[in-house]
Amino acid sequence: MDTTPPHSDYGWLDDAALATGLGLVLLGLVVMGVFETLLGSAHFTERVPGLGVVVVHTSFTPRLRAHVIALGFLVLLAWGLSRLSRAIFVSLGARP
Amino acid sequence: MIQQLQTTILGREYTLELSGTLTGYWLVFLRLLVGWWFLHEGLNKYVGPGRFRAGWFLEKTGTVVSPVLNAFAGGATEAAIELVVPAGEVLIGLGLILGVLTRTAAFFGAFMLFFFYFGSEHWRRGLVNGELMGLVLFVTIIVFGAGRVWGVDSYLETTDLVRNRPWLRYLLG
C-alpha cells in the first residue's frame, strides 16, 4: 500500500511551473498595472485627418494584460494536470 | 496547535508557523461561503423568472475566450450549456458545503469563473474584479484541500479505496 503523500516530491519542474504561472498572473495584474498607473491615463482621443476622432492607447491594453493573465492560469492548469497524471502513473506503477 | 512547515521556494528555505486551529476554522468558513455563493447562483437560475439563457454570453466577440465560447453558440451545444451551467453551479455549491469531492468541485468552479472573467469585453470594473477574486478563492480551496476539515472527504480519505490510490486525493481534499 502506497501511503506517500502526493505533495512530497516537488522538484525543479514544479518550481519552474509555479513561478512561471504565478509570475505571469502577477505580471499581467500588478507589474503592468503599476506601469499603467505611473504612465497616467491609458487612453486618449485624438483627431486624425481623414479618420475623425480615434482612441489612442499609450501603454498596455486590457486585452494584452488579460492574455498574459490567462496564460499564467493556463500554465498553472497544465502543472496541476501534470501533477495528477504523475500521481496516477506512480500509483499504477507501484501496484503488483 | 502551532505547526511548523518547512519548505523551499525557488531554492531558498523557509519555515512557516501555522496555527492548525485557525487554518481549520478558516478553511471551513471559506468552503461554506463559496459553496453557498454557487449553490445560491444555481438555485436562482431554476427559481428565478424566465429560463436561463447563455446565448448572449456564448456569442460574445472580442474577448480572450471568444473563440471557445463561439464554438458552443447556437443549436444543441448552447442548449447543453444552458442545462449544465445551473446544474453545475448547484453541484459545485453542494460539493463545497458538504466537502464532497472538494477539489473537483472547486476545479469546475474555477473553470467556470475563468470563462466569466476572461469573457469580459471592456474590463469596465478593472482587471481585478469580483470574478477574479472568485477564481482565486476556488484555487485557494484546491491548494488547501479544504474538504479535509469538517467535510465528507476527511472520511473518504480514510477508506481503503483512497489509501490504495493516493492520486484520488487530488480529486478529494
Side-chain angles (χ1 to χ4, degrees):
Chain A
M1 186 173 74
D2 182 11
T3 55
T4 311
H7 300 291
S8 63
D9 56 343
Y10 277 65
W12 68 270
L13 198 62
D14 301 284
D15 265 346
L18 284 170
T20 307
L22 295 172
L24 282 168
V25 174
L26 287 176
L27 174 67
L29 284 171
V30 183
V31 179
M32 288 180 167
V34 167
F35 272 100
E36 287 274 359
T37 308
L38 291 179
L39 290 173
S41 174
H43 302 82
F44 63 91
T45 55
E46 198 172 74
R47 187 167 292 280
V48 178
L51 282 177
V53 175
V54 296
V55 177
V56 179
H57 219 288
T58 54
S59 48
F60 309 112
T61 63
R63 197 174 155 76
L64 170 69
R65 289 177 65 190
H67 272 97
V68 173
I69 299 163
L71 187 61
F73 278 116
L74 289 177
V75 169
L76 293 175
L77 171 69
W79 169 78
L81 293 176
S82 83
R83 291 284 306 178
L84 176 62
S85 16
R86 275 183 279 165
I88 292 172
F89 284 130
V90 168
S91 186
L92 292 176
R95 290 214 182 158
Chain B
M1 186 189 292
I2 301 291
Q3 304 282 332
Q4 278 209 335
L5 299 179
Q6 288 186 319
T7 186
T8 307
I9 304 288
L10 294 175
R12 194 169 165 184
E13 285 188 17
Y14 294 92
T15 304
L16 300 173
E17 282 196 349
L18 197 66
S19 161
T21 309
L22 178 61
T23 308
Y25 273 109
W26 188 255
L27 291 181
V28 176
F29 167 76
L30 195 64
R31 228 184 60 219
L32 293 178
L33 192 74
V34 179
W36 170 242
W37 173 34
F38 255 57
L39 180 60
H40 182 254
E41 286 288 332
L43 291 177
N44 256 353
K45 288 184 176 66
Y46 285 113
V47 300
R51 217 183 108 221
F52 168 68
R53 297 283 182 190
W56 66 273
F57 187 69
L58 297 175
E59 288 161 15
K60 274 187 168 187
T61 53
T63 77
V64 176
V65 289
S66 283
V68 180
L69 295 178
N70 297 163
F72 288 88
T77 50
E78 186 172 313
I81 296 281
E82 286 170 351
L83 284 176
V84 165
V85 167
E89 286 178 338
V90 168
L91 289 174
I92 289 165
L94 287 175
L96 292 188
I97 289 171
L98 299 174
V100 183
L101 287 166
T102 307
R103 281 188 167 132
T104 308
F107 169 79
F108 283 109
F111 180 81
M112 287 174 84
L113 277 169
F114 181 90
F115 282 94
F116 296 159
Y117 177 66
F118 290 106
S120 179
E121 292 155 301
H122 306 294
W123 306 98
R124 287 197 182 94
R125 286 181 292 153
L127 279 150
V128 180
N129 55 29
E131 279 84 22
L132 179 72
M133 290 299 109
L135 176 54
V136 169
L137 285 178
F138 275 117
V139 175
T140 305
I141 289 171
I142 295 171
V143 168
F144 284 94
R148 289 173 294 180
V149 190
W150 267 30
V152 177
D153 284 343
S154 63
Y155 162 73
L156 293 177
E157 291 198 356
T158 63
T159 60
D160 283 344
L161 178 74
V162 179
R163 281 178 185 274
N164 292 327
R165 296 167 186 80
W167 62 269
L168 280 173
R169 276 182 271 174
Y170 281 101
L171 309 182
L172 302 169

